[in-house]
């Protein structure tokens, strides 16, 4: 069985009007999309790595089950309290303490650190956490 072949190579000129109209529609969609979803403006000159919503000086401390690390050095509880007192006198304005606690640190120890910070005059207390790497998968809906 033979099928007739009508395919011919196009040798005429292309009309530019359809291409121009598609291009202008694309430009309009991009412009309208940028107006509807402007995003978040970040000014890196003022943020300097601070936590969102936090103002003023911040101190960071790392805590494990049996140790306190302040300024990348192992310190005792009394030394830590002395460092906090010195920091509140050196900085003007509200001071925030960021606690990076190990997952095995008890809540009692964190509350004790908060009490030490309040005694030293620290006004803010933040418990730092790491972001989750992956979201846990949603449970499958299996019906028998």
């Amino acid at each position: 069985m033979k099928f007739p072949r009508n395919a011919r190579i196009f040798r005429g000129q292309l009309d530019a009007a359809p291409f121009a109209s598609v291009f202008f529609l694309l430009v309009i969609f991009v412009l309208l999309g940028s107006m509807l979803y402007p995003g978040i403006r970040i000014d890196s000159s003022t943020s300097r790595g601070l936590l969102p919503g936090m103002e003023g000086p911040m101190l960071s401390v790392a805590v494990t089950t049996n140790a306190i690390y302040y300024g990348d050095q192992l310190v005792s509880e009394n030394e830590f309290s002395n460092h906090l007192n010195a920091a509140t006198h050196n900085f003007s304005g509200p001071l925030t303490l960021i606690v990076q606690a190990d997952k095995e640190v008890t809540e009692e120890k964190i509350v004790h650190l908060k009490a030490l910070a309040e005694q030293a005059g620290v006004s803010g207390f933040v418990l730092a956490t790491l972001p989750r790497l992956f979201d846990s998968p949603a449970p499958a809906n299996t019906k028998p």
Side-chain angles (χ1 to χ4, degrees), residues 75-135:
V75 294
S76 68
E77 192 174 300
N78 291 332
E79 291 173 328
F80 175 65
S81 180
N82 293 338
H83 285 298
L84 284 179
N85 286 326
T88 54
H89 294 307
N90 291 340
F91 295 113
S92 63
L95 189 65
T96 303
L97 181 67
I98 300 173
V99 177
Q100 301 169 350
D102 190 33
K103 66 179 180 179
E104 291 147 2
V105 174
T106 61
E107 190 174 334
E108 179 183 344
K109 183 150 186 156
I110 293 172
V111 169
H112 182 67
L113 281 176
K114 184 173 182 178
L116 285 176
E118 287 174 353
Q119 287 175 358
V122 176
S123 61
F125 187 84
V126 176
L127 184 60
T129 59
L130 292 175
R132 294 186 304 180
L133 293 177
F134 301 102
D135 288 334

Side-chain angles (χ1 to χ4, degrees), residues 2-53:
K2 258 188 171 180
F3 292 106
R5 290 193 273 182
N6 296 349
R8 295 182 189 152
I9 297 175
F10 179 70
R11 297 199 189 273
Q13 289 187 353
L14 289 175
D15 192 15
F19 293 109
S21 63
V22 169
F23 174 74
F24 285 122
L25 283 175
L26 180 66
V27 168
I28 289 171
F29 286 140
V30 168
L31 289 176
L32 288 177
S34 67
M35 284 202 251
L36 293 176
Y37 305 107
I40 299 172
R41 296 196 187 276
I42 297 175
D43 186 10
S44 62
S45 64
T46 59
S47 64
R48 292 191 185 101
L50 301 177
L51 294 174

